[in-house]
Amino acid sequence: MTGTPTPAGPADPADPADPAGPAGPADPTELSLWRPLRLLQASMDEEIGRVYAETPVEGLRPSFVLELLRLHARGPMTITELAESVRHTHSALSQKVAAMRRAGWVETVPGADARSKKVTLTAKAREVVGRLAAEWEATEAALAELEAELPYPLSRVVEDIERALARRSFHERILGRLAGDPRWR
């Protein structure tokens, strides 16, 4: 799955060196620069999940921890405020808040006016938030340790990618590639 993608172009079924050959078109998903990174992150997320599985906190999903810690640190917030603070969409956060409410981690209380609601931690969440903070800090320390072993830390890669995308967005880069591909027209 790793490898350098070849330039996109129509396959020649008569070319015996063409991997598509007479069997059909090549599968462009076989080459991916991003998939190994996504799989690495999924694997590391599974390792965090194992930490919680070994010291179970009933009904807690590791994906809830960021929002629970944010609510603990900043107090009750509307879904919009919480979504903005963790850089997720309102829709995604609304679904997550519903799942956290069903699991007993948060509740909604009336906001400043009759139309708004604030998300707040339940007593159950307040009881374990110290443990969640300990895991978060241990995970960040383990990441720092891991980055110290690398010749080029991932956090620096991310910063470099963000700077490059500020110069020319990923959207613009994709459209530039598609402009020269007759299959896109």
Side-chain angles (χ1 to χ4, degrees), residues 28-89:
T29 66
E30 289 293 327
L31 296 174
S32 175
L33 294 174
W34 285 98
R35 190 159 192 263
L37 181 60
R38 186 184 60 75
L39 293 173
L40 174 63
Q41 183 174 9
S43 172
M44 292 172 76
D45 284 344
E46 287 175 15
E47 296 285 322
I48 295 168
R50 283 182 55 205
V51 169
Y52 283 104
E54 291 166 3
T55 309
V57 178
E58 188 67 33
L60 179 69
R61 294 186 206 163
S63 63
F64 294 166
V65 174
L66 171 63
E67 290 78 9
L68 295 174
L69 288 173
R70 187 62 49 91
L71 288 166
H72 176 71
R74 298 188 184 176
M77 289 188 256
T78 65
I79 289 176
T80 299
E81 292 166 341
L82 184 57
E84 289 172 359
S85 80
V86 297
R87 299 179 70 185
H88 288 300
T89 65

Side-chain angles (χ1 to χ4, degrees), residues 76-78 107-120:
M77 289 188 256
T78 65
E107 59 189 357
T108 53
V109 297
D113 61 48
R115 298 175 306 168
S116 68
K117 291 182 183 176
K118 296 264 187 177
V119 180
T120 188

Side-chain angles (χ1 to χ4, degrees), residues 71-151:
L71 288 166
H72 176 71
R74 298 188 184 176
M77 289 188 256
T78 65
I79 289 176
T80 299
E81 292 166 341
L82 184 57
E84 289 172 359
S85 80
V86 297
R87 299 179 70 185
H88 288 300
T89 65
H90 183 279
S91 176
L93 232 300
S94 182
Q95 291 176 18
K96 186 181 274 191
V97 165
M100 291 190 306
R101 188 173 44 239
R102 283 191 302 274
W105 297 111
V106 298
E107 59 189 357
T108 53
V109 297
D113 61 48
R115 298 175 306 168
S116 68
K117 291 182 183 176
K118 296 264 187 177
V119 180
T120 188
L121 297 177
T122 62
K124 174 183 171 179
R126 287 189 299 276
E127 287 176 16
V128 299
V129 77
R131 290 176 70 192
L132 304 183
E135 175 276 316
W136 188 278
E137 292 164 2
T139 298
E140 287 297 316
L143 285 168
E145 176 185 305
L146 180 60
E147 281 203 339
E149 296 177 30
L150 304 176

